[in-house]
Amino acid sequence: MRKKLIVGNWKMNGSLQANAALLEQLRNGYDPARAELAVCASAPYLAQLQSLLAGSGIDWGAQDVSAHEPGAYTGEVSAEMLRDFACRYVIVGHSERRQYHGESDDVVAAKAQRALSAGITPIVCVGETWRDREAGRTEFVVKRQLSAVIHTVGHCTSEIVVAYEPVWAIGTGQTATPEQAQAVHAVLRAQLRAATAHADRNRILYGGSMNPANAAALLAQPDVDGGLIGSASLDAGQFLSIVAACPWVAQ
Ligand code: PGA
């Protein structure tokens, strides 16, 4: 079993003061033996993460990256800039970016590629809407989203993290059952296996209303390698409880 990876997605939340308090609690309460831990914040706070998390064993990352190389792209943040702030991860293709900012599969794939070329691990989000699920299109949708990335990043496929986030479960309090999550994760794992001989290295996270009450059952599934946590990551107690819910893995 792979050691679990728990990633907080703060979304467009936080302030210098609130972040400092939250990070202090995480530093004090984090047990590295249990799981790997990371937080992904908005770009203006990356310097704060770098200074407050250095040496803590907790990694940090961004929530988006430009699909372009540095140049005349006002308002964009390049992968090289994220590297300047020692980001280990960047979330790409979150459903909120796909939905509110029109990001296509190709744009998401280009972002994943830019991250990898700067030495940053992309956390590639895939997930179906409720309408897709009702129409029996879950597998088709998540495979299409992942295949765009695999096609673009090629031999680097084993270096990506995938996050399965059913759109209907994000921020709704409605979670996929452990069986629903495992079924989709198994599909994604098979797709990764077909693309790389090293798919056992890929971590596939579940995201969508994961909380201390449902985390243990989700994280016990064989292909659920961790969680991408939104609202529960803004509360140190809840976030650390999710870490504590990770099954023990002998090193
Ligand atoms: P949620 O968000 O945990 O608040 O549902 C998860 C995510 O969007 O990454």
Side-chain angles (χ1 to χ4, degrees):
M1 197 185 253
R2 287 161 287 271
K3 193 171 181 186
K4 306 289 180 187
L5 169 63
I6 304 295
V7 180
N9 173 13
W10 288 357
K11 309 197 179 187
M12 199 172 72
N13 293 293
S15 66
L16 285 174
Q17 204 181 348
N19 301 348
L22 179 52
L23 294 172
E24 159 109 21
Q25 288 174 282
L26 295 183
R27 282 187 69 123
N28 293 337
Y30 169 51
D31 174 6
R34 205 68 188 190
E36 290 177 33
L37 189 61
V39 289
C40 293
S42 301
Y45 296 129
L46 295 176
Q48 186 189 26
L49 294 186
Q50 186 178 23
S51 82
L52 297 186
L53 290 179
S56 69
I58 302 172
D59 290 308
W60 59 92
Q63 298 171 4
D64 187 27
V65 64
S66 176
H68 301 289
E69 304 209 359
Y73 299 100
T74 302
E76 293 268 80
V77 175
S78 71
E80 289 73 9
M81 293 170 186
L82 301 185
R83 187 176 55 201
D84 260 352
F85 292 96
C87 287
R88 171 141 185 212
Y89 298 104
V90 60
I91 298 169
V92 299
H94 190 280
S95 67
E96 289 151 14
R97 304 275 336 154
R98 293 179 190 262
Q99 191 180 341
Y100 305 136
H101 301 273
E103 290 189 9
S104 65
D105 293 342
D106 288 346
V107 166
V108 173
K111 290 184 171 196
Q113 176 68 61
R114 291 292 304 129
L116 287 166
S117 64
I120 297 167
T121 301
I123 299 175
V124 177
C125 299
V126 300
E128 82 287 4
T129 63
W130 184 250
R131 186 184 284 229
D132 293 328
R133 177 163 280 269
E134 293 255 279
R137 286 165 46 89
T138 299
E139 195 170 316
F140 170 80
V141 170
V142 298
K143 283 172 88 171
R144 189 203 71 216
Q145 292 171 331
L146 182 55
S147 95
V149 174
I150 290 173
H151 181 75
T152 300
V153 308
H155 66 276
C156 293
T157 294
S158 63
E159 291 166 38
I160 68 172
V161 171
V162 178
Y164 169 53
E165 297 208 309
V167 178
W168 48 272
I170 296 176
T172 58
Q174 195 187 345
T175 320
T177 65
E179 296 72 25
Q180 284 172 326
Q182 170 58 27
V184 177
H185 283 229
V187 165
L188 296 170
R189 180 86 60 203
Q191 191 178 4
L192 291 164
R193 279 218 177 92
T196 166
H198 306 294
D200 287 338
R201 283 190 210 149
N202 286 107
R203 277 192 286 202
I204 308 176
L205 314 181
Y206 169 79
S209 298
M210 193 187 269
N211 60 42
N214 59 31
L218 286 159
L219 293 166
Q221 299 302 310
D223 285 300
V224 177
D225 304 317
L228 181 56
I229 322 294
S231 55
S233 72
L234 297 171
D235 178 301
Q238 288 193 37
F239 196 41
L240 291 169
S241 297
I242 293 172
V243 174
C246 290
W248 184 260
V249 181
Q251 293 304 301

